[in-house]
Amino acid sequence: MDDAIRVAVVQGDRRRGAVAQALALVAEDVRAVVGRCGTAAVAPTLDELGREWASTHRDALSATVDALAAAGAETIDVAASKADAKPSARACFERLGYVAETHGRPVAYHDLDAVPDAWIERELGGEKARVSSLFAGCGCRVSLGVARTHGVFRLGLGLPGLAAVVHRDDLRFEEDALARRIPAPLAPACSVLETWRGRIVRSWLKVRSIGGGMRPTGAERRRLDRARGAVERLTALAAAVAPRISVIDGFGGMQGQGPRLGTPLKLGTVIAGTDPVAVDAVAAAIMGFDPLDVAYLRRAQAAGLGVADLAGITILGEPWSQVRRRCRRHGADRLLRLVSAGTDPDQARPPHFPRRRSRRSRV
């Protein structure tokens, strides 16, 4: 593995300071990226329901803008699309305080859904999809991710966050169509119910996998097929518009039934670097996951998009093992592990309940 892959890990009490410190630790790498083009395109994470705690925080954006400007960026474009039409990306920019926070700095905001000609067509995993031409055409692409669990990829970090630069009608990675139809006012109550449902599902899958294997049901096989297809499309998306700089904010994240009905997660940690796969891998380890057991990270490394093996990553700042915290996983997480393992559901072992011997056999 390449020892030059460096990822900064900073734990602190203040988000802005932690982001600034993390980017300062990899400042040389950031300057090398920004210096080639003099401009930057930033893709923030905008929660579908517009919740501040589940979106890129204004302090994280502000500290990143400062670091990019210090590295030589003369203009910075912040661009995003949203799966939900309401609130719009433009409304989120205002509501989350982005516009006010960066007032007076060379930052322009782009609601991709409001610009008909903002897209360029790409083939992603055998499907045509419209990708932001502004983001795809920039040599310094920046992803501002949030530490989240996910019902398709197990984790929704920087690379899954690239869905923000894809047209809402073309490519979305949703694990549950029913969750998409839940109105925003009902989301808090539904999140509580979904948390308990997730616990029941996790317990049931754990029982079924006693002994090392289980045979998925028909519905579970279909879910696995959708997850495999989503991983393929995400890998193709990352190959087309891979971030050159990636920042994961763990000050306000999501655990459990993410990315829509999860509950708040506070790690107090920021991860940053110029290898987006390595940044996601370190964030995964901090959240209690084996990076090579996460399908999209394993696939991205195999495709040559970055390093997911922790042995090949140099950590700057805090050792990831000292800030590690096992977050509450998605209810279907044990099932989704079959995607990363490459397990064929038809070859998986059945549930391991001991078969009772008949009286005749005991004689």
Side-chain angles (χ1 to χ4, degrees), residues 8 86 90 128 134 149 167 176 196 228 242 346 357:
K86 294 181 180 180
R90 171 60 64 179
K128 296 289 186 180
L134 184 152
T149 52
H167 196 283
D176 191 348
W196 281 102
R228 290 191 181 96
D346 292 325
R357 299 169 59 189

Side-chain angles (χ1 to χ4, degrees), residues 94-177:
E94 296 282 355
R95 181 184 301 178
L96 296 173
Y98 296 174
V99 177
E101 183 67 31
T102 58
H103 178 71
R105 285 180 272 182
V107 181
Y109 291 90
H110 306 268
D111 181 348
L112 299 177
D113 299 317
V115 185
D117 59 350
W119 309 99
I120 183 172
E121 194 171 74
R122 290 284 188 269
E123 183 171 338
L124 305 177
E127 298 181 8
K128 296 289 186 180
R130 287 164 288 182
V131 179
S132 166
S133 56
L134 184 152
F135 195 78
C138 185
C140 178
R141 296 182 289 268
V142 183
S143 171
L144 295 184
V146 175
R148 300 187 297 178
T149 52
H150 201 285
V152 174
F153 302 116
R154 302 185 70 201
L155 288 167
L157 302 169
L159 291 183
L162 290 175
V165 298
V166 181
H167 196 283
R168 68 158 68 109
D169 295 332
D170 291 351
L171 185 65
R172 290 296 164 187
F173 305 118
E174 292 299 331
E175 82 286 1
D176 191 348

Side-chain angles (χ1 to χ4, degrees), residues 285-327:
I286 290 173
M287 294 175 70
F289 291 76
D290 179 352
L292 294 178
D293 204 20
V294 177
Y296 84 84
L297 291 175
R298 178 190 289 269
R299 184 70 177 270
Q301 176 172 272
L305 301 180
V307 177
D309 188 346
L310 295 175
I313 302 171
T314 299
I315 304 296
L316 305 178
E318 302 284 346
W320 67 266
S321 57
Q322 292 186 12
V323 297
R324 185 179 188 182
R325 173 185 167 189
R326 181 181 173 86
C327 67

